[in-house]
Amino acid sequence: EDADKENGDDGEGGGDAVKDEEDESQLDPAARLALQNRRIEAARAAARLLESSENAGRDPCLFSKRTSFDIRMDQIEDKPWDRPPNPSNPSGGGGDVTEYFNYGMDEHDWAEYAEGQLAIRQELTDAARQKRPPDPGIVPVVPRAPRQQGERVAVARRDGGDAG
């Protein structure tokens, strides 16, 4: 039974992968697509759970190959900005949100800002791939196309001759 679970069988399909494929081939296309989408979502949830367990207890600033947009504030157990100030340690020890967030933000403001930035980046990526202008409802300012550069002049002499 454990081997079946490792192979992606949840125990409800009889445990035989060939039999599952035969059962799946008899489904109508919509049901097959729904089943495939459930499997994809289950795999994504498992990946998020694995990532969360790998990062448990680690300093979010040390996560490898990540940007600040990848940090999930709701998964951080010990939030130093929420600690009460420590009067015996004036150089730190918690409580000052400005040491962790810029521009007057707190963790909720940051999460909202990050979500908006990720949506904008995704829309710009999708629009570029589909060769269309970005949706103005998502991207507030439509980026300008780069101007055509003129001829490059290295150095011109004042007397009109070449510099070289």
Side-chain angles (χ1 to χ4, degrees):
E1 188 174 302
D2 289 335
D4 288 341
K5 287 183 181 179
E6 287 177 15
N7 291 329
D9 185 9
D10 59 4
E12 295 177 7
D16 186 15
V18 174
K19 184 179 176 189
D20 288 345
E21 287 178 18
E22 290 173 4
D23 292 342
E24 188 175 323
S25 67
Q26 294 178 7
L27 294 173
D28 65 285
R32 209 173 320 149
L33 180 62
L35 178 63
Q36 183 181 16
N37 286 339
R38 282 195 303 269
R39 287 179 179 160
I40 290 170
E41 280 304 312
R44 286 180 179 159
R48 282 193 301 270
L49 183 62
L50 176 63
E51 179 182 3
S52 177
S53 66
E54 287 174 349
N55 293 331
R58 291 177 58 198
D59 181 354
C61 296
L62 301 178
F63 293 172
S64 63
K65 299 179 185 175
R66 303 226 171 115
T67 69
S68 56
F69 293 105
D70 298 319
I71 297 172
R72 300 272 316 264
M73 296 294 178
D74 58 334
Q75 293 182 351
I76 300 173
E77 292 179 21
D78 181 27
K79 299 176 182 180
W81 54 89
D82 282 343
R83 293 183 198 149
N86 185 355
S88 64
N89 184 3
S91 66
D96 189 4
V97 73
T98 61
E99 292 182 10
Y100 300 93
F101 298 95
N102 293 328
Y103 306 109
M105 292 186 184
D106 61 13
E107 71 179 283
H108 303 291
D109 296 332
W110 168 253
E112 186 176 314
Y113 172 77
E115 184 178 321
Q117 287 298 308
L118 291 174
I120 289 170
R121 291 175 185 196
Q122 185 63 52
E123 174 60 20
L124 289 172
T125 301
D126 292 346
R129 285 184 183 153
Q130 297 170 8
K131 298 184 187 321
R132 62 172 172 80
D135 180 358
I138 298 173
V139 181
V141 177
V142 178
R144 292 181 302 189
R147 291 184 300 166
Q148 198 70 11
Q149 289 186 345
E151 292 184 35
R152 294 186 180 187
V153 178
V155 177
R157 292 176 39 174
R158 290 183 184 228
D159 62 0
D162 287 337

